[in-house]
Amino acid sequence: QPTDTSTLPGLRDGTGSLLNMVMSNQPPPLEPYNLFTTDTVLSEAVSREGGETERDQLVDFGERVGTEEVFRWGDEANRYPPVLRTHDRFGERIDEVDYHPAYHALMEVSVSEGIHFGRFGKPPGEGAYVTRNARAYLTAQVESGHGCPVSMTSSVLSSLRHQPDLSEWWEPRILSRTYDPRSIPPADKQGLLLGMGMTERQGGSDVRANISTARPSNGGGPGAEYRLSGHKWFTSAPMCDAFLILAQAPGGLSCFLVPRILADGARNGLRFQRLKDKLGNRSNASSEVEFDNIGGWLVGEEGRGVPTIIEMVNGTRVDCVVWSAGLMRQAVAQAGWHVAHRTAFGSKLIDKPLMQNVMADLELETEAATLMMTRLSGAHDAAPLDEFQFAFIRLATPVAKYWVTKRCSPVVREALECVGGNGYVEESILPRLYRESPLNAIWEGAGNVIALDVLRAIQRSPESVDAFFEELSLAGGSEPVLDQEIEDLRKAVADAGSEADARRLIERLAVAWASSLLVRYGDQQVSDAYLASRIGGDWGAMFGTLPETDSLGFIARRAVPAK
């Protein structure tokens, strides 16, 4: 390289060619690109789990959400977060949240695609949940915050069906592809979205400690009107048309459907106190709400609030897995694109052995997460008709929720580092992905809550344990290190009971399941590297510590979107 800059044409003749030469080492923008067709692992898994009939639609959707415009909406919706207006200019209470137009544009994309009800779009076993979750995985790569009302609406339907008369009225209006954000009576809207309110400030995850009350208006009973008073510490997406609310009725903790706007156009008295100032997920309004004598309708039996609403929670836990896998894929795609186009010290970064090790390690984690997400989706889709799948998801859901959501943050952080200083700048999508990455490990049950749920499943649902190990054994006989781990895990699960060891156990279950999926469905070089590092123990504490093999470059290049 010349050291006498006076000899460089760009400085001699003022053409700026030196600047152009320097800037040519910046990677070109990744967007636009098709998020579906560039993700071979997702594409193959969707077909395998029953979603092949919607391949053409997924290709079209992958192209739509991968445009520069939609990525810009994701940035703007978070750069300009929602604003709460408690009163109008005349001093009247209105409790409205204003969103940036980009948020509404993203909602229009997801609702028009039917993501908010997609799991109910076909009969069980026909791939509806698989393709719905593939769409949610793609949108999560662009913007996750608007996915909150989309997820809750999808999951509420399962709980609402415990009360057929309420479901009969609300469900047809939910199964609409029209996004209608107006604050008007539900009967006058073209499409409805639903949310939920479970936690209170004194209890958090311990909803049995809830103190909000519900009094029957006329005798009470399933489907009847009650009057609710109390508060909720976290009520996300407060502009939803109705919410499932837990409150203490005379018969115990119960579930109620609470509209925001009543049939006569009056507001139902939900008083939004403030919006949470969150680390990430900033496009999505999360509120504290108080209510005094508001109307709510009982869903299911009194005293059965937790079993009623838990079906919704199980659906949103699956979405936590979906979103985390999507965040990981987008972060690793951005890092892969950068190192494939950036030159340093005489060659592309992706040709450097150490960078290959880091990128390969990140790709292993991301492919494992994608396979777990799609397998879990397929099992949920088939569960209503298949006893094995029904038993399997009881244990597989919390295992996937715990593991994938917790692996998300370190993957995104390391991907950000691969991009370097540019990855730390807000113009990059990576800071937003990083702020978003811890959320799914917290929402719908933080790590300890989920680990305890796994212990409950092991102790109270032995059929779920049998189904889970039957799933693991489908990869049996081909990898001795995996066979030995499965045998050791059987003993560990049989002896399970110590709360203090719950996290270690769930981690081993997750890694064994990921290994089984990679052996069965992944590229052999990928599965070999995963088993050698995650089960074989040839792995350090950080990414980029895989055992050195000739396959690292091949695996690393799998992270680069092939536009």
Side-chain angles (χ1 to χ4, degrees), residues 198-242:
M198 294 177 61
T199 60
E200 298 180 5
R201 63 171 72 91
Q202 77 283 348
S205 296
D206 183 10
V207 296
R208 298 289 181 182
N210 283 9
I211 59 175
S212 295
T213 60
R215 297 175 290 103
S217 296
N218 292 296
E225 182 180 0
Y226 287 64
R227 308 306 297 183
L228 279 65
S229 296
H231 82 281
K232 294 298 168 186
W233 191 233
F234 271 95
T235 300
S236 284
M239 291 298 96
C240 284
D241 297 290

Side-chain angles (χ1 to χ4, degrees), residues 111-422:
V111 171
S112 66
E113 196 69 15
I115 300 176
H116 66 300
F117 70 78
R119 63 183 298 192
F120 300 97
K122 295 180 181 178
E126 293 190 9
Y129 205 17
V130 174
T131 54
R132 180 266 180 193
N133 285 351
R135 289 175 170 88
Y137 167 97
L138 298 178
T139 59
Q141 296 186 49
V142 178
E143 206 290 307
S144 292
H146 82 285
C148 183
V150 171
S151 171
M152 291 190 296
T153 302
S154 172
S155 299
V156 158
L157 285 169
S158 295
S159 296
L160 196 57
R161 287 178 173 180
H162 283 267
Q163 196 56 50
D165 55 334
L166 292 177
S167 178
E168 182 179 0
W169 192 92
W170 285 85
E171 189 165 322
R173 294 165 171 83
I174 294 170
L175 301 181
S176 164
R177 293 179 181 265
T178 300
Y179 173 57
D180 188 345
R182 296 176 295 170
S183 292
I184 59 176
D188 297 334
K189 297 190 67 171
Q190 298 175 344
L192 301 178
L193 297 171
L194 275 69
M196 69 172 171
M198 294 177 61
T199 60
E200 298 180 5
R201 63 171 72 91
Q202 77 283 348
S205 296
D206 183 10
V207 296
R208 298 289 181 182
N210 283 9
I211 59 175
S212 295
T213 60
R215 297 175 290 103
S217 296
N218 292 296
E225 182 180 0
Y226 287 64
R227 308 306 297 183
L228 279 65
S229 296
H231 82 281
K232 294 298 168 186
W233 191 233
F234 271 95
T235 300
S236 284
M239 291 298 96
C240 284
D241 297 290
F243 306 87
L244 289 188
I245 298 288
L246 289 181
Q248 299 284 357
L253 191 62
S254 306
C255 180
F256 299 88
L257 179 68
V258 177
R260 187 167 60 87
I261 307 293
L262 298 172
D264 62 0
R267 299 174 188 272
N268 197 13
L270 292 161
R271 304 295 190 228
F272 299 112
Q273 302 302 305
R274 62 173 178 169
L275 301 185
K276 302 287 192 180
D277 187 7
K278 297 172 294 185
L279 168 67
N281 201 246
R282 299 185 71 83
S283 69
N284 174 44
S286 297
S287 66
E288 297 170 20
V289 60
E290 294 183 358
F291 39 91
D292 182 15
N293 200 39
I294 65 173
W297 282 259
L298 180 63
V299 180
E301 300 284 343
E302 279 193 18
R304 298 286 297 169
V306 172
T308 299
I309 208 169
I310 200 66
E311 291 194 31
M312 177 184 186
V313 171
N314 284 335
T316 49
R317 281 180 176 174
V318 174
D319 280 348
C320 288
V321 178
V322 173
W323 293 338
S324 292
L327 290 172
M328 292 163 71
R329 172 49 66 200
Q330 179 59 211
V332 174
Q334 292 285 340
W337 186 256
H338 177 87
V339 301
H341 292 85
R342 178 78 165 178
T343 297
F345 306 109
S347 63
K348 298 293 186 185
L349 284 173
I350 200 167
D351 295 327
K352 308 289 186 184
L354 191 52
M355 182 60 79
Q356 288 179 353
N357 198 317
V358 173
M359 288 304 309
D361 217 349
L362 294 174
E363 181 64 14
L364 294 183
E365 207 71 50
T366 304
E367 292 194 20
T370 303
L371 290 177
M372 291 176 79
M373 174 202 85
T374 47
R375 175 67 188 96
L376 185 65
S377 302
H380 272 268
D381 188 55
L385 303 175
D386 188 319
E387 291 184 3
F388 168 81
Q389 304 292 352
F390 184 81
F392 173 66
I393 64 174
R394 174 62 188 95
L395 186 54
T397 299
V399 167
K401 199 278 185 186
Y402 179 95
W403 182 251
V404 175
T405 63
K406 285 192 174 297
R407 298 307 294 156
C408 183
S409 288
V411 166
V412 176
R413 197 217 67 81
E414 191 69 46
L416 185 154
E417 184 175 330
C418 290
V419 179
N422 285 351

